[in-house]
Amino acid sequence: MSEGFRRLTPEEALEIIKKQQRGKLKIFLGYAPGVGKTYAMLNEGNRRLKRGQDVVIGYVETHGRKETEAQIGNLEIIPRKKIEYHGMILEEMDTDAIIARKPEVVLIDELAHTNAPGSKHKKRYEDVEEILRHGINVITTLNIQHLESLNDVIQQITGVAVRETIPDSIVDSADEIVAVDLTPDALLNRLKRGDIYPVSKVDECLSNFFRKGNLNALRELMLRLTAEEVDIELEEYMKEHGITDTWETNEKIMVCITPNPLSKKLIRRGARRARRFKCDWVVVYVNCTHFLAPKLTEKDKEVLESHFMLAKQLGAEVYTLTGKSVSDELLKFAKQMHITQIIIGHSQRSRLQTFFRGSTVIKLIKKAKNIEIHVIPYK
């Protein structure tokens, strides 16, 4: 039996079977109307069609944009379902017709759309979920402001309350997310030319949703979300392949503290480095159970609590570990968390303690693999 082999549990095996039977979901994610999500979706559909895949359009909204309309090309369009509502005829995606047609891939625009009353499902993402369960792959589009968890943040940034939202779990379950990016300046130029909305609406758009500050903030939210999804995929890949080394794809900082009052210096140093790298960081204390380790006094506990409060105020996650060897616990935790930088103070052990137990700093430097160690003087 190979060293990396591990027998699957029945639950894990069942989950794999479900994933194999379920269609794959790909999302083209944008930060504002007009960045090119629908264009990119249709463009991919045509490329797949040329490669011999069975691709159809389940629903597309071109908003009268000529470049987008041209991308429909030779793609088959499933006719929309007509629904009568208060004397009006509304058109919605025909989910049952798509399932009956059973293409290999279906293109579905505007994932966060709310269906007309009388539709099979209230929200389009529910239609997509049903289609995926029938083994049909779905390519769709979404703007960052429609994520439920960001609803309050979006309203604070833009002043607009977004009513059409989808659960974050839909995005979390996606097999692939593609960020459709365009600089705010380029997007504003498209808007002013009338490529997004009619020229008559440009001034209103520029003074509301399309303010440059709004666009910059929304763009950063989109890029951060995409980066987080990539990190999750990388972590899953490393687990599946038994990779325990730290890959420096994204910085993550760990600050190691003790009850020493001067550990606040280390916490502040960690906060500054995390801000510089725009990365996550953690603050860790090891409750050492070695018989030579000094016992915590009430004063020590108070100091540690103040350290934890400072770390949380500065944006860190705080962890308390327990073990006989401080260095072993720190290294084990660093591997689990994919830490790339460790900040630690000079050893505070007495000569006797160092003689019998060694130096935590020296052990970290010797044993840490692919992790930078920053040793900070306490004075």
Side-chain angles (χ1 to χ4, degrees), residues 267-318:
I267 295 170
R268 294 189 181 101
R269 178 69 65 93
R272 289 199 299 274
R273 290 190 72 82
R275 194 179 309 119
R276 186 185 310 162
F277 287 103
K278 294 185 177 179
C279 67
D280 294 333
W281 64 297
V282 297
V283 170
V284 179
Y285 165 70
V286 179
N287 178 26
C288 186
T289 57
H290 195 283
F291 72 94
L292 286 177
K295 303 301 179 186
L296 287 181
T297 65
E298 288 303 316
K299 179 64 176 176
D300 289 337
K301 293 177 183 177
E302 289 177 10
V303 172
L304 271 175
E305 190 58 37
S306 70
H307 290 346
F308 294 156
M309 287 179 63
L310 175 63
K312 290 174 182 177
Q313 286 171 3
L314 294 175
E317 291 186 48
V318 175

Side-chain angles (χ1 to χ4, degrees), residues 10 15 25 49 78 80 132 136 146-147 161 178 186 250 269 273 276 309 311 315 317 332 334 341:
E15 191 62 29
L25 176 63
L49 185 67
I78 302 294
R80 298 181 184 182
L132 290 169
I136 301 170
H146 296 292
L147 271 182
V178 179
N250 188 31
R269 178 69 65 93
R273 290 190 72 82
R276 186 185 310 162
M309 287 179 63
E317 291 186 48
K332 185 167 64 175
Q341 298 186 38

Side-chain angles (χ1 to χ4, degrees), residues 27-31 111 142-150 154 166-174 176-180 216-234 250 278 280:
I27 300 175
F28 281 100
L29 183 69
Y31 68 90
L111 183 61
L142 179 71
N143 273 332
I144 190 72
Q145 61 264 33
H146 296 292
L147 271 182
E148 178 61 43
S149 66
L150 294 176
I154 299 298
I166 69 169
D168 289 43
S169 58
I170 304 299
V171 175
D172 293 339
S173 68
E176 189 176 354
I177 296 176
V178 179
V180 182
N216 278 317
L218 292 170
R219 186 189 187 207
E220 181 166 352
L221 284 173
M222 178 201 70
L223 294 174
R224 282 183 179 276
L225 175 67
T226 310
E228 286 171 7
E229 292 298 321
V230 171
D231 285 345
I232 291 169
E233 288 179 11
L234 177 61
N250 188 31
K278 294 185 177 179
D280 294 333

Side-chain angles (χ1 to χ4, degrees), residues 84-104:
E84 186 176 351
Y85 179 68
H86 287 181
M88 297 184 296
I89 300 297
L90 305 176
E91 293 186 343
E92 292 290 355
M93 181 174 74
D94 194 334
T95 301
D96 290 335
I98 293 169
I99 293 171
R101 168 68 173 73
K102 200 169 176 59
E104 189 176 349

Side-chain angles (χ1 to χ4, degrees), residues 75-297:
L75 291 167
E76 175 188 344
I77 301 176
I78 302 294
R80 298 181 184 182
K81 187 175 185 178
K82 292 178 171 56
I83 298 173
E84 186 176 351
Y85 179 68
H86 287 181
M88 297 184 296
I89 300 297
L90 305 176
E91 293 186 343
E92 292 290 355
M93 181 174 74
D94 194 334
T95 301
D96 290 335
I98 293 169
I99 293 171
R101 168 68 173 73
K102 200 169 176 59
E104 189 176 349
V105 181
V106 59
L107 312 181
I108 299 174
D109 213 358
E110 299 185 350
L111 183 61
H113 172 77
T114 301
N115 293 328
S119 300
K120 187 174 187 180
H121 298 291
K122 184 177 179 181
K123 303 285 289 188
R124 183 166 292 160
Y125 75 80
E126 295 172 317
D127 292 306
V128 167
E129 283 285 286
E130 182 179 357
I131 291 167
L132 290 169
R133 287 195 296 271
H134 280 79
I136 301 170
N137 301 316
V138 175
I139 302 177
T140 187
T141 63
L142 179 71
N143 273 332
I144 190 72
Q145 61 264 33
H146 296 292
L147 271 182
E148 178 61 43
S149 66
L150 294 176
N151 196 253
D152 294 338
V153 177
I154 299 298
Q155 185 168 1
Q156 184 181 13
I157 292 171
T158 66
V160 177
V162 179
R163 291 181 176 82
E164 289 187 322
T165 61
I166 69 169
D168 289 43
S169 58
I170 304 299
V171 175
D172 293 339
S173 68
D175 298 276
E176 189 176 354
I177 296 176
V178 179
V180 182
D181 192 25
L182 191 67
T183 66
D185 284 335
L187 181 61
L188 289 172
N189 286 336
R190 291 200 69 211
L191 178 68
K192 292 171 185 175
R193 290 197 303 266
D195 294 340
I196 300 175
Y197 297 121
V199 176
S200 59
K201 292 186 176 180
V202 169
D203 289 340
E204 181 185 350
C205 291
L206 288 172
S207 60
N208 291 291
F209 187 87
F210 280 81
R211 293 195 299 271
K212 189 173 180 180
N214 289 355
L215 299 179
N216 278 317
L218 292 170
R219 186 189 187 207
E220 181 166 352
L221 284 173
M222 178 201 70
L223 294 174
R224 282 183 179 276
L225 175 67
T226 310
E228 286 171 7
E229 292 298 321
V230 171
D231 285 345
I232 291 169
E233 288 179 11
L234 177 61
E235 189 170 342
E236 289 175 352
Y237 175 86
M238 293 174 76
K239 284 180 180 177
E240 287 173 5
H241 292 78
I243 299 169
T244 57
D245 293 344
T246 298
W247 289 359
E248 295 183 32
T249 55
N250 188 31
E251 298 294 338
K252 193 165 188 180
I253 296 168
M254 180 171 82
V255 179
C256 311
I257 64 169
T258 69
N260 189 320
L262 294 175
S263 282
K264 283 187 170 61
K265 177 180 179 180
L266 307 182
I267 295 170
R268 294 189 181 101
R269 178 69 65 93
R272 289 199 299 274
R273 290 190 72 82
R275 194 179 309 119
R276 186 185 310 162
F277 287 103
K278 294 185 177 179
C279 67
D280 294 333
W281 64 297
V282 297
V283 170
V284 179
Y285 165 70
V286 179
N287 178 26
C288 186
T289 57
H290 195 283
F291 72 94
L292 286 177
K295 303 301 179 186
L296 287 181
T297 65

